[in-house]
Amino acid sequence: MYPVYYESAPRRDFISVMVSKEPPEPPSKRRQSCRRVWNRLSRLQRTIICAILVVGAMSGLYIANGLMNELPDDKDTLSQRHNVFPNDNVVHVMDQRHPDKDTKANQRLHDNDDKDGEDQKLHFEQVNEEKKTKGQSQDGADAGVDVQVQVPNMEDGVGPQNAQQKAVVEAFKHAWKGYKQYAWGHDELKPISKAASDWFGLGLTIIDSLDTMWIMGLMEEFEEARRWVEKDLVLKKNVDVNLFETTIRVLGGLLSAFHLSNDGLFLEKARELGDRLMPCFNSPSKIPYSDVNLDTGKAHPPRWGPDSTTSEVTSIQLEFRELSHQTGNDKYKNAVDEVMGHIQSLPKENGLIPIFVNARSGQFRAGATITVGARGDSYYEYLLKQWLQTGKTEDKLRDEYVTAIEGMQKNLVKSTAANGLKFIGELVRGSFSPKMDHLVCFLPGTLAIGHHNGLDASHLELAKELAKTCYQMYADMPTGLSPEIAYFNINNPGKPDIEVKNADTHNLLRPETVESLFYLYRLTGDKQYRDWGWKIFQAFEKYTKVQGGGYSSIGSVKDTKNPRFRDKMESFFLGETLKYLFLLFSDDPTLLSLDKYVFNTEAHPLPIWRP
Ligand code: DMJ
């Protein structure tokens, strides 16, 4: 067949020459001459021409179809944009809900950073109309909770009001940009490798950031995060989670988002999470196991040892109690109150606790370290804050707290030989160690709130001294950032106050110092605390900011040339560090008033109950 086909090709040329050379003919004549030409062709030639026409027609159809697919229609353009530019999505969804207000609403959302107070208020009202729509159409039906939407007043969040707050909001946006682009829906961003990492697979960064965004007035981002919680946050998950971390970050984050927005979705998710965490308390002593599988409900001690961490089992109370308060179901509160009651009944040294407790025996591990740093810290914080949460009605908790602070003064507080910097050391197998974790730097803030609520003046004095030391842990380092752990020289006046071991030079973007600076500024009005906070913020900007999006923990605060990015942006950087900086630079003491809110240990504000 093929040779025949090729041999006939010259005759096709002949046909075309013939047609082009003939003079123009009237249409009927032309048709006749075409027929004549056609009749002169062999059967093979006709077959080939027919085949060429069929193939040509089919190709034409195919190309036309492809072109049609390329052409935009309204629906597809919108959905494509949703994937590439999620912010546009917000605007379009809102347009549909408020066809009569679209232009103004969009304008407000896009001009968010430049708002004056009045416009900002309008902006919040607009967003709350969105929430009402949601509450009625989705949440109310299946949530099983009373969905009301409040219009946030000025004390709930008004966005940045001055240059320093604006700088912090820009930092948040930069962090969020990286997370959104490379790690959306995952726990954390790896900003250097531009990838995601998962710990529990619960979108930790999104949930930890919800209230920060609300307070900063980043309502587009908040809406987007809210949609993720609604559609993609799956809690029935075959994953082992740590009870404490999940409670302070996720349960606390959902509860505070609920309080600020009054959006029942967050409460419903909080309730489901609370239920999935509850099996932890099914231990012989009722001291919770550290871990639980969110799907099977199987709870167990940590993989690395037999005991639960004392600060962990005693720093879940604010959240579980609040969950009971909001749902009307006492089971959550009862479980955590039983833990506190049990810990209160155990013998302690001057109110100070060892850092491990066994969930089976209910006993402290004999000889375990006593510290206000890792594994001890938030036990002390939650003693005070539980007392505040219930309107200062549970005096036993306050008394335990006061006893513990006295115990610290007696056993743990010492001063450096050179400059008399006060710090809090540790008791390791009964001996004093002049080691202080950066984590201890939450304590000045807690002491300041205690004093604000009537506790002794010595608490505020200690708070100021410790805050100075915590700031010094930053200022003494070449990068202006604190190491994870510092050692203090108490014997030799010729030596520097602070020493850092090679293994401790990292900085994880932790919040504790700026947290305390916020409380101290809010409660004393001393601008020194703001100045220190601004210097710390600038150091974060200089040494931890990653081009393109995100901030990274670093390996060495001593090395300005090569601080060594560790490729990790902890969710608490957005949930806590940037939030406390934003609050530190606020001129408005009614913004999350400390007389109305108590912050959990992950910086999520929860309301103080009225007795
Ligand atoms: C946070 O998860 C909380 O602040 C916790 O209390 C301690 N560790 C980190 C921040 O450093």
Side-chain angles (χ1 to χ4, degrees):
M1 282 298 286
Y2 288 115
V4 176
Y5 174 82
Y6 284 113
E7 277 170 14
S8 65
R11 290 185 74 168
R12 276 193 300 162
D13 292 342
F14 168 75
I15 293 164
S16 70
V17 170
M18 289 292 286
V19 171
S20 66
K21 281 201 171 172
E22 279 181 11
E25 288 173 315
S28 57
K29 276 196 164 182
R30 205 187 300 150
R31 232 179 282 134
Q32 280 176 11
S33 105
C34 282
R35 202 176 301 137
R36 245 183 278 125
V37 172
W38 178 257
N39 288 337
R40 267 191 239 131
L41 297 175
S42 70
R43 188 182 292 167
L44 177 64
Q45 285 172 319
R46 287 184 205 156
T47 310
I48 289 168
I49 290 170
C50 284
I52 289 169
L53 287 175
V54 168
V55 169
M58 283 172 67
S59 310
L61 275 174
Y62 179 79
I63 290 165
N65 190 34
L67 277 175
M68 290 298 284
N69 282 345
E70 288 296 316
L71 285 174
D73 70 24
D74 283 347
K75 196 162 150 254
D76 284 346
T77 311
L78 191 58
S79 59
Q80 273 175 1
R81 254 197 244 144
H82 287 185
N83 292 334
V84 184
F85 301 117
N87 284 344
D88 281 6
N89 185 7
V90 174
V91 173
H92 286 284
V93 171
M94 287 186 172
D95 292 353
Q96 285 157 14
R97 287 192 218 149
H98 297 277
D100 51 339
K101 295 183 182 172
D102 53 0
T103 319
K104 273 193 169 180
N106 294 347
Q107 193 59 44
R108 283 191 201 112
L109 286 165
H110 288 294
D111 289 345
N112 197 23
D113 282 350
D114 297 320
K115 280 184 208 341
D116 61 29
E118 195 48 37
D119 271 2
Q120 184 75 43
K121 205 168 161 195
L122 287 169
H123 162 69
F124 276 119
E125 282 163 9
Q126 168 65 26
V127 170
N128 274 292
E129 284 182 29
E130 307 298 331
K131 289 184 196 314
K132 272 182 205 148
T133 315
K134 275 182 220 147
Q136 284 153 12
S137 62
Q138 298 154 16
D139 307 323
D142 27 84
V145 289
D146 185 19
V147 178
Q148 289 175 344
V149 179
Q150 68 188 12
V151 176
N153 57 35
M154 298 302 268
E155 75 190 47
D156 287 325
V158 289
Q161 301 293 302
N162 56 43
Q164 289 178 314
Q165 282 192 307
K166 278 186 183 159
V168 177
V169 172
E170 286 310 313
F172 182 93
K173 285 180 176 172
H174 184 79
W176 189 249
K177 181 179 168 222
Y179 173 75
K180 203 166 101 175
Q181 196 167 351
Y182 302 113
W184 184 250
H186 294 275
D187 284 341
E188 283 167 346
L189 168 70
K190 295 172 75 167
I192 303 301
S193 42
K194 306 211 180 304
S197 72
D198 278 305
W199 187 9
F200 307 139
L202 295 175
L204 287 184
T205 298
I206 294 180
I207 301 179
D208 240 359
S209 300
L210 282 166
D211 52 12
T212 307
M213 294 188 280
W214 183 273
I215 294 160
M216 289 182 174
L218 296 173
M219 301 314 288
E220 276 184 52
E221 289 83 350
F222 182 87
E223 285 288 324
E224 197 179 356
R226 190 247 180 233
R227 272 197 301 279
W228 183 86
V229 171
E230 182 183 34
K231 297 205 176 81
D232 300 314
L233 174 59
V234 178
L235 295 168
K236 183 178 173 2
K237 201 170 211 153
N238 186 14
V239 62
D240 283 14
V241 301
N242 174 281
L243 168 67
F244 162 75
E245 297 289 358
T246 309
T247 298
I248 65 169
R249 298 182 198 222
V250 186
L251 188 55
L254 290 168
L255 286 171
S256 69
F258 168 66
H259 278 292
L260 296 176
S261 66
N262 217 12
D263 184 335
L265 167 73
F266 297 119
L267 181 57
E268 186 47 36
K269 289 286 183 187
R271 170 160 44 193
E272 185 189 345
L273 179 60
D275 286 338
R276 294 187 180 281
L277 294 174
M278 282 297 278
C280 278
F281 298 95
N282 296 333
S283 72
S285 72
K286 301 294 185 235
I287 294 289
Y289 292 114
S290 63
D291 295 83
V292 63
N293 185 293
L294 286 182
D295 184 21
T296 64
K298 190 170 169 3
H300 56 83
R303 302 274 179 226
W304 43 263
D307 299 324
S308 298
T309 293
T310 311
S311 71
E312 292 192 357
V313 303
T314 53
S315 306
I316 49 179
Q317 278 66 16
L318 292 178
E319 299 83 355
F320 275 78
R321 284 152 54 117
E322 179 58 22
L323 187 58
S324 280
H325 198 63
Q326 291 304 328
T327 59
N329 188 335
D330 282 345
K331 68 178 176 181
Y332 313 106
K333 180 180 188 309
N334 291 342
V336 292
D337 281 354
E338 195 168 354
V339 178
M340 277 320 286
H342 180 86
I343 295 285
Q344 282 177 323
S345 74
L346 295 178
K348 305 176 195 72
E349 194 175 325
N350 297 324
L352 305 175
I353 43 112
I355 57 175
F356 291 113
V357 60
N358 191 280
R360 289 185 189 283
S361 69
Q363 298 302 308
F364 287 132
R365 188 194 291 180
T369 297
I370 287 176
T371 173
V372 187
R375 304 187 187 283
D377 47 5
S378 43
Y379 162 74
Y380 306 100
E381 178 185 354
Y382 270 38
L383 283 178
L384 180 79
K385 288 183 173 177
Q386 286 176 84
W387 176 60
L388 297 177
Q389 180 184 38
T390 50
K392 300 188 241 184
T393 52
E394 299 162 300
D395 288 348
K396 204 158 178 247
L397 289 162
R398 178 203 57 195
D399 296 344
E400 287 273 323
Y401 172 76
V402 170
T403 305
I405 300 302
E406 284 167 6
M408 287 178 207
Q409 295 263 28
K410 189 166 170 220
N411 298 103
L412 304 181
V413 176
K414 292 226 188 299
S415 300
T416 57
N419 293 302
L421 282 185
K422 273 197 181 159
F423 68 96
I424 301 210
E426 301 183 342
L427 293 177
V428 183
R429 286 179 293 278
S431 301
F432 182 81
S433 162
K435 160 182 178 273
M436 183 165 111
D437 296 344
H438 182 273
L439 287 166
V440 176
C441 291
F442 80 94
L443 189 64
T446 302
L447 287 165
I449 321 170
H451 174 259
H452 176 69
N453 284 280
L455 302 186
D456 198 78
S458 63
H459 288 212
L460 184 60
E461 285 318 304
L462 180 59
K464 289 177 180 174
E465 293 287 342
L466 291 174
K468 193 163 81 182
T469 303
C470 288
Y471 174 64
Q472 216 52 52
M473 284 167 66
Y474 287 74
D476 273 12
M477 298 301 127
T479 56
L481 290 171
S482 168
E484 175 74 354
I485 297 170
Y487 286 81
F488 292 83
N489 285 312
I490 49 177
N491 297 321
N492 188 343
K495 280 188 154 186
D497 291 313
I498 298 173
E499 269 179 22
V500 182
K501 299 197 171 168
N502 284 341
D504 305 328
T505 57
H506 46 297
N507 180 295
L508 305 185
L509 314 172
R510 286 198 193 274
E512 290 77 17
T513 296
V514 294
E515 169 184 354
S516 284
L517 297 179
F518 155 63
Y519 284 116
L520 278 160
Y521 176 71
R522 181 66 77 85
L523 297 172
T524 68
D526 184 343
K527 290 212 162 29
Q528 177 70 85
Y529 299 116
R530 260 193 181 180
D531 296 344
W532 290 349
W534 184 242
K535 290 213 169 84
I536 292 172
F537 173 68
Q538 285 177 312
F540 278 129
E541 286 291 289
K542 187 163 179 191
Y543 291 106
T544 70
K545 191 170 189 168
V546 177
Q547 216 180 5
Y551 290 75
S552 174
S553 53
I554 56 171
S556 175
V557 295
K558 288 174 158 181
D559 190 344
T560 52
K561 294 238 161 48
N562 183 19
R564 298 201 310 273
F565 285 132
R566 287 165 62 116
D567 200 13
K568 189 169 168 66
M569 183 173 79
E570 300 271 0
S571 72
F572 55 67
F573 181 64
L574 293 86
E576 296 196 73
T577 310
L578 293 177
K579 183 191 288 151
Y580 282 129
L581 282 163
F582 182 82
L583 292 171
L584 168 64
F585 300 128
S586 166
D587 296 308
D588 178 7
T590 66
L591 174 62
L592 294 173
S593 161
L594 296 178
D595 296 319
K596 291 186 181 165
Y597 291 92
V598 63
F599 288 75
N600 86 340
T601 193
E602 188 78 4
H604 298 304
L606 300 173
I608 289 175
W609 308 346
R610 291 205 181 82

